[in-house]
Amino acid sequence: MPDRRDLANAIRALSMDAVQKANSGHPGMPMGMADIAEVLWNDFLVHNPANPRWPNRDRFVLSNGHGSMLLYSLLHLTGYPLDIEDLKAFRQLGSKTPGHPEYDPEIGVETTTGPLGQGLATAVGMAIGERVLAARYNRPGHEIIDHRTYVFAGDGCLMEGISHEACSLAGTLGLGKLIVFYDDNGISIDGEVKGWFTDDTPARFEAYRWHVVPDVDGHDPVALRAALEAARAEADRPTLICCRTVIGWGSPHKQGTAATHGAALGDDEVAATRDNIGWSHPPFEIPEDIRQAWDATSRGAAAEGEWQARLEAYRKAHPEAAAELERRLAGDLPPDWEPAASDFVADVSANGKKMATRKASEVALNGIGPVLPELFGGSADLTGSNNTWWSGSKAIGASDFDGNYLFFGVREFAMTAILNGLSLHGGFRPYGGTFLVFSDYARNAVRLAALMKVPSILVYTHDSIGLGEDGPTHQPVEHLASLRAIPNLAVWRPCDDTETAVAWRAAIESRGAPTALVLSRQGLEHQPRSEEQLAGIRHGGYVLRDPGDGEPEAIIIATGSEVALAVAAARALEEDGHRVRVVSVPCVEAFAAAPAEWRDSVLLPSLGRRVAIEAGITDFWRSWVGPGGIVIGVDAFGESAPAADVFAHFGLTVGDLTTAVKNLF
C-alpha cells in the first residue's frame, strides 16, 4: 500500500516530466505543494470526477496558476477526463493542458488563472455564491447547498493589490467556507523574496478578520491535516493556512532556489530527483497501486449520490424552491423572461422620457429585476452614482446572506473578479458598477471574463467628457476604444432609455460573453422609433433617421450622447437641402456580428460621405468612415468645466457636426 509521500511523489514526477517534455513551464510549485495537495484532495475535497459540473462540489482554485501541472496531475490521477496523453501534450497547441489553467468545466478546471491574485479574488466570488444560494434555498433539514472553496496561493498572489481588495472583503463578510493555502516558500522568479516582500502575512490576514493557522510544515501530512480540520471547524471567518514549503522539493541540486521556478529541471536533474525521492518509474508512468489509491471516482459517485437523495427529498418538501434553484444552476432564464423583457422594452419605447442612461439603467433593473431572482449586483462605492440599486435590492452582509446586492467598497478590480466567480459558481446573473474611467483598475479581470466567456455584466457610468467639472482625471477618453479592443466583450453605449433597455436585455441573454454597459451622467433625449427600428437595435447598429424623401447623400454615425447631436445636425442639414442618414451604433460588436446584408443596408457601402462622432479618441472610427470621411472626437485628455462648455471646447456641437458634413460636399 503506497504511503502519502508516494502519492505526493506521483504529482512531482508527472509535473517535472511534463515540464521537461515541453521544455517549458514551472516545476517548482507543483513539487513544493504536492504534499498539501495530497492531503486536501484525498482526505477533504468533496468532488466527483465523473461529473465535474456537480453543483454541490467543493471548488478548487489554483491561484498561483503557473504551477498548472499540479492541477493537471490531480485531475488526471483522481479520474477526470484528462488522460496521460493530455499531460504529455502540456503547453502544446490545442491541448487540454495549456501553460496556465484555462476555464474548462468538462475536465474540472474551475477558472482561468495565471495573472496572480485573480484566482484568489475569483474564489471569493465563488464563496459568496455558495453563501447566498444557501441562505436563499436551504431549509431546515434540507442543507442542499453546502460546499467549500479551497485556494492555493503563493507569495506573488499576496503581493498583488487585488489580494488586499478581495481578502479584506472576504473577512468583512465572514466567508467561513473559504480556505486558502499560502505557499510560503520564499522564492519568486527573481529569487529570494526577502528583498521585496517582508509582510507579516499572518498579522495582515488577522487584521482582515481571517482565521489564521500559522507556521504549518507544508511537507508534514499530520500537520496539514490538523490545519485543515481547524479551518473546517471555523464557521464565521475565512481561513489562511500558512504553509512553509521548499520550492522544487526533491530536486537535490535546485530545490529551494529560483532555478526550479520557471524552467525545466533538465534531464540530469530530473534523473537525480527520481533517485532522491525514490521514484524508479519511467516518465509518465504511474504504478497501478498508486493510481488506484488516487482514484476518486467511487468516492465522488457516493458523495453525489447521497446529495441526489437529499435533493429528491428537497424537491418533495419544497417543489417551487427546488425548481427555481435547479433552473438557476442550469443557467436557464425564467420561462416568463421573454414576454416580460419584450413588454418592458416596448413600454419604454412607447413612453420614453429624457433621462441619463445611468438612470435608464436603473429603470431597466426595476423592469426586469422582478422576474430574475438570479440577478445579483453591486457597486464599487458608487451605488447612487451608478444607479445599480433597484427597488427589489437587498444588501447581503456577514449576518444575512439572503439578498441580491453587495456594497463592494472601493474595490473595482476585486469586484470584477468576484463577479466572474459568481458567474462561474452558477446560479447568478451578476452585475457591478463603477465609473467608466475606473474600468482601467479592473481591466485584467474584464479580460479574463472575456477569455473565459462568462456573462458578467459591467455597468460603467459617467461615460465621457460630459462628466464636466470633475475634470480629466474622471473623464474617460480612450476607454471605449480600449474596451472594444478586448475580444469577446460586448460594449454597449446606448443613446437613450430605449437602447439602454435593449442593452440590458442583451446582457441578460448573453451566454458566452461579458457585457459592458457604458452609460451617461447627463440627460439624453428619448428618440422615437418605428417597430422596425426598435427591432434593429439588437443588431448593434441601425438607421435611426433617414431623410424625408430621396436617397441619403451622407451618413452620420454616432453612439451614446452624440446620437442626439447627430439627429439635430441631420435636421439642420435637411433644412439646407442635404439628405442625411443617422446611424446609431450602440454596440459595435453586435453590429459586426450581424448579417452582412443588414450591415450593408445600414451603412450603404457605395456612399462615401460619412462622418462619425463620439466623445472619445477618433482612431477607432476611421475605418468606418473611409478615406474620405471625417471623425469628430476627443484626442486629448478632458477639461474641468460644465459639460456644455467642455463639449464646445472639443468641437462636439451641432454646429461643428453640421459644418463637417457640409465639407464633404
Side-chain angles (χ1 to χ4, degrees):
M1 184 71 178
D3 61 18
R4 287 193 178 276
R5 181 55 51 79
D6 292 329
L7 299 180
N9 284 343
I11 298 173
R12 294 185 171 102
L14 287 174
S15 297
M16 69 179 181
D17 288 344
V19 173
Q20 189 62 36
K21 187 175 186 302
N23 195 29
S24 173
H26 300 260
M29 186 280 261
M31 297 170 73
M33 296 195 77
D35 297 303
I36 305 171
E38 190 278 323
V39 172
L40 172 62
W41 279 63
N42 282 326
D43 291 10
F44 294 95
L45 193 74
V46 180
H47 63 119
N48 184 8
N51 183 12
R53 292 181 180 269
W54 172 32
N56 202 46
R57 69 191 182 278
D58 290 340
R59 272 59 170 180
F60 176 76
V61 175
L62 192 77
S63 189
N64 42 356
H66 55 273
S68 56
M69 269 309 304
L70 174 75
L71 177 58
Y72 302 146
S73 299
L74 289 165
L75 295 173
H76 170 72
L77 290 167
T78 54
Y80 286 81
L82 199 68
D83 62 32
I84 201 68
E85 295 303 317
D86 294 317
L87 270 59
K88 291 178 180 179
F90 178 56
R91 289 186 163 231
Q92 304 309 299
L93 184 65
S95 76
K96 296 180 182 179
T97 51
H100 293 81
E102 296 177 17
Y103 173 55
D104 190 345
E106 298 304 322
I107 65 170
V109 180
E110 298 281 5
T111 182
T112 297
T113 58
L116 293 175
Q118 273 209 71
L120 176 54
T122 303
V124 171
M126 295 176 180
I128 292 171
E130 191 274 343
R131 291 293 298 271
V132 171
L133 288 180
R136 171 65 179 85
Y137 292 104
N138 286 354
R139 301 289 188 272
H142 298 278
E143 301 294 314
I144 204 65
I145 300 295
D146 182 14
H147 53 265
R148 289 179 168 83
T149 303
Y150 295 97
V151 183
F152 280 11
D155 41 39
C157 292
L158 300 192
M159 281 186 252
E160 290 284 1
I162 192 173
S163 74
H164 297 259
E165 295 183 24
C167 294
S168 168
L169 183 59
T172 297
L173 293 174
L175 299 176
K177 291 182 178 178
L178 174 64
I179 299 174
V180 178
F181 292 86
Y182 166 37
D183 182 28
D184 184 12
N185 60 34
I187 298 293
S188 69
I189 288 179
D190 277 354
E192 296 184 18
V193 302
K194 62 184 181 182
W196 50 86
F197 184 58
T198 58
D199 296 15
D200 186 342
T201 297
R204 170 186 157 191
F205 276 78
E206 287 172 352
Y208 291 155
R209 303 176 185 269
W210 282 54
H211 170 225
V212 177
V213 184
D215 201 31
V216 177
D217 184 346
H219 303 294
D220 180 354
V222 175
L224 289 165
R225 184 176 176 85
L228 265 163
E229 289 173 343
R232 289 164 59 89
E234 176 59 57
D236 299 323
R237 293 179 294 168
T239 294
L240 181 76
I241 302 175
C242 300
C243 299
R244 291 179 289 101
T245 65
V246 177
I247 191 170
W249 188 96
S251 171
H253 307 110
K254 295 185 178 183
Q255 68 175 23
T257 72
T260 68
H261 194 296
L265 297 179
D267 290 332
D268 291 344
E269 189 66 10
V270 167
T273 302
R274 276 182 153 75
D275 290 340
N276 191 45
I277 66 176
W279 190 266
S280 59
H281 316 290
F284 298 102
E285 183 176 303
I286 304 296
E288 189 58 29
D289 60 339
I290 291 179
R291 187 173 292 282
Q292 288 181 9
W294 267 109
D295 189 357
T297 53
S298 60
R299 297 197 307 272
E304 184 175 356
E306 187 273 335
W307 180 81
Q308 287 289 351
R310 289 193 282 126
L311 177 62
E312 186 58 35
Y314 179 67
R315 287 178 180 137
K316 292 177 180 177
H318 305 283
E320 292 184 2
E324 184 177 276
L325 173 61
E326 290 186 86
R327 176 191 64 75
R328 287 178 59 170
L329 291 172
D332 298 329
L333 291 171
D336 56 348
W337 164 254
E338 199 285 328
S342 295
D343 289 348
F344 170 70
V345 170
D347 181 70
V348 173
S349 180
N351 302 294
K353 302 177 178 63
K354 179 179 180 178
M355 64 179 71
T357 50
R358 62 169 176 160
K359 179 63 179 178
S361 176
E362 181 186 342
V363 171
L365 286 169
N366 277 291
I368 64 177
V371 299
L372 282 176
E374 54 265 61
L375 195 64
F376 186 99
S379 170
D381 203 47
L382 290 168
T383 292
S385 294
N386 298 148
N387 294 85
T388 45
W389 183 274
W390 61 284
S391 61
S393 294
K394 178 188 175 184
I396 66 169
S399 61
D400 185 5
F401 278 86
D402 186 12
N404 60 3
Y405 197 89
L406 176 57
F407 292 101
F408 284 97
V410 188
R411 298 182 175 99
E412 297 88 356
F413 195 0
M415 175 184 73
T416 309
I418 288 168
L419 297 179
N420 293 343
L422 287 163
S423 288
L424 292 166
H425 180 276
F428 297 93
R429 285 287 195 275
Y431 67 94
T434 187
F435 287 179
L436 177 59
V437 75
F438 301 139
S439 65
D440 280 346
Y441 283 132
R443 183 178 178 85
N444 200 247
V446 177
R447 184 176 187 271
L448 283 198
L451 180 61
M452 293 189 287
K453 302 179 180 179
V454 296
S456 302
I457 302 170
L458 313 166
V459 179
Y460 296 139
T461 70
H462 298 59
D463 70 341
S464 73
I465 56 174
L467 183 58
E469 291 89 341
D470 279 344
T473 62
H474 282 53
Q475 293 170 5
V477 173
E478 73 277 22
H479 297 73
L480 280 164
S482 179
L483 290 171
R484 289 171 180 149
I486 298 176
N488 199 48
L489 173 66
V491 182
W492 285 82
R493 188 177 185 233
C495 76
D496 68 353
D497 50 356
T498 303
E499 286 190 357
T500 305
V502 173
W504 261 108
R505 178 175 183 175
I508 295 296
E509 293 177 352
S510 175
R511 297 294 294 266
T515 300
L517 303 176
V518 180
L519 309 170
S520 75
R521 178 198 191 190
Q522 70 272 31
L524 304 180
E525 295 288 345
H526 170 78
Q527 300 294 332
R529 294 173 181 84
S530 67
E531 289 293 324
E532 182 181 6
Q533 288 172 316
L534 181 61
I537 298 173
R538 64 185 177 89
H539 291 302
Y542 64 102
V543 179
L544 179 63
R545 187 183 189 277
D546 252 348
D549 55 53
E551 293 295 314
E553 298 174 311
I555 298 175
I556 302 175
I557 305 167
T559 78
S561 53
E562 290 70 67
V563 169
L565 298 177
V567 170
R571 290 187 182 125
L573 288 161
E574 195 167 293
E575 292 176 359
D576 289 343
H578 297 293
R579 300 187 303 274
V580 179
R581 167 176 287 188
V582 175
V583 172
S584 177
V585 187
C587 183
V588 169
E589 294 77 19
F591 189 54
E597 294 81 5
W598 176 265
R599 299 196 306 270
D600 289 346
S601 72
V602 172
L603 288 181
L604 304 176
S606 62
L607 183 54
R609 296 190 188 97
R610 299 182 186 183
V611 176
I613 182 169
E614 185 175 66
I617 63 171
T618 60
D619 279 353
F620 177 83
W621 292 102
R622 298 205 181 276
S623 63
W624 288 66
V625 300
I630 297 172
V631 181
I632 299 175
V634 182
D635 289 320
F637 294 118
E639 296 287 343
S640 178
D645 294 342
V646 181
F647 270 90
H649 174 77
F650 286 104
L652 280 85
T653 68
V654 173
D656 292 307
L657 182 53
T658 301
T659 299
V661 175
K662 287 181 177 180
N663 287 337
L664 295 176
F665 289 92

